[in-house]
Amino acid sequence: MPSTLVHLAFGGMIAAALLGSVFDRRSLLVVLAVVAAPDLDSFLALFFVAGHRTLLHTYLIPIVASALLYVDLRLRDRSFVRGRWGPEGVRLAWVSVVALAFAGIGLDFVDHGVNPLWPLHDQFYVLDGRFEVSDQRGIVQSYVDLSPDTEQSGPRSRGSSQEVNISTGVDPNPGGVGGGPDPDTVEDPERMFPVVRHGWQLAILVTGTVVTAARLGLGEIEEN
């Protein structure tokens, strides 16, 4: 599963691409804080059965945030966000929501899955499949079920928060009462805090770090 560092690297690339003239150290820190926030449910898993990749990995958070922003910016006579932080704050708010959806939650959605509609629908899903073009079979894809012969139909269900317990360095043996260690497991489990576990994660980590650092450097050069 992607580490928080991989999430941050991807979020930094999104910030560098979308913030435009608003991009600086301060705005970058805001976006990165939003991207890292979902992983805080690793700590909440110590107290709740519905824990990691559930409490803060639900897409209802960016959906509700987008709705509130739309109402504030388009339907209210005076926008709180625009009045408090100006056009720069509006752009930063929207980019933060995008970064949360794609970098904060999206990476986990395609790697081991999340509980995307919790608490309205308590079910873990993982978005996995393939998309190919064959000279014999034409377009081959397994993300959306378009025929009875499709190998898999879109996001695969993995079970509810009561059935799926994801190990983290904070809670290496989830599954017990209240989200704590399972009494039937070892007393002193190894705590693993991943940095990179796949080549694609290393690619995102290195590329995102380089791109974000370069964008910051260019901004400082332009200011001078």
Side-chain angles (χ1 to χ4, degrees), residues 41 50-64 101 105-106 108-109 113-127 155-161:
D41 61 18
H52 186 44
R53 296 208 179 185
T54 295
L55 293 173
L56 299 179
H57 281 73
T58 170
Y59 272 107
L60 294 183
I61 295 177
I63 290 173
V64 170
I105 302 175
D108 289 330
F109 194 13
V114 298
N115 204 324
L117 296 176
W118 186 88
L120 298 182
H121 177 61
D122 184 10
Q123 193 72 204
F124 273 82
Y125 291 94
V126 57
L127 182 60
R156 299 198 314 271
S157 174
R158 296 187 56 201
S160 70
S161 59

Side-chain angles (χ1 to χ4, degrees), residues 85-180:
W85 293 287
E88 295 82 4
V90 174
R91 177 180 282 253
L92 178 57
W94 281 119
V95 172
S96 296
V97 172
V98 171
L100 173 62
F102 289 95
I105 302 175
L107 285 183
D108 289 330
F109 194 13
V110 299
D111 192 320
H112 288 78
V114 298
N115 204 324
L117 296 176
W118 186 88
L120 298 182
H121 177 61
D122 184 10
Q123 193 72 204
F124 273 82
Y125 291 94
V126 57
L127 182 60
D128 191 15
R130 61 195 179 107
F131 187 97
E132 302 168 339
V133 178
S134 168
D135 64 344
Q136 297 182 10
R137 293 177 293 159
I139 295 177
V140 180
Q141 65 84 34
S142 56
Y143 288 99
V144 181
D145 189 3
L146 299 178
S147 71
D149 297 328
T150 303
E151 295 179 3
Q152 65 186 45
S153 56
R156 299 198 314 271
S157 174
R158 296 187 56 201
S160 70
S161 59
Q162 307 293 320
E163 301 166 316
V164 178
N165 298 290
I166 298 177
S167 174
T168 66
V170 176
D171 188 11
N173 275 329
V177 177

